[in-house]
Amino acid sequence: MLPTWRVIRTDATMFVGAFDAGWEGHESATYKVMETPHGPLFRGFRRMSEAVVDGAERTV
């Protein structure tokens, strides 16, 4: 089973965490990921979250 990701994004800052079958979400750490000139982590999570939103189907 794949982990469940928690991604909270505000403009140039993201908070990222994951939880899986050994611990619950409230027990997992959340990491602050900021945009930097040469850092791929923020850009990767930004692209992933944009792709999820772009491919989502609104149900409500």
Side-chain angles (χ1 to χ4, degrees), residues 5 7 12-17 31-49:
W5 287 94
V7 180
T13 304
M14 278 192 203
F15 297 92
V16 179
Y31 301 94
K32 183 177 181 178
V33 181
M34 295 175 26
E35 189 171 17
T36 59
H38 304 290
L41 191 59
F42 179 86
R43 291 182 186 135
F45 276 111
R46 181 182 63 199
R47 288 180 61 204
M48 181 187 70
S49 62

Side-chain angles (χ1 to χ4, degrees), residues 2-30:
L2 295 173
T4 300
W5 287 94
R6 176 186 300 153
V7 180
I8 303 167
R9 179 179 170 192
T10 63
D11 296 334
T13 304
M14 278 192 203
F15 297 92
V16 179
F19 52 98
D20 201 354
W23 65 93
E24 296 293 327
H26 67 279
E27 296 174 338
S28 64
T30 303

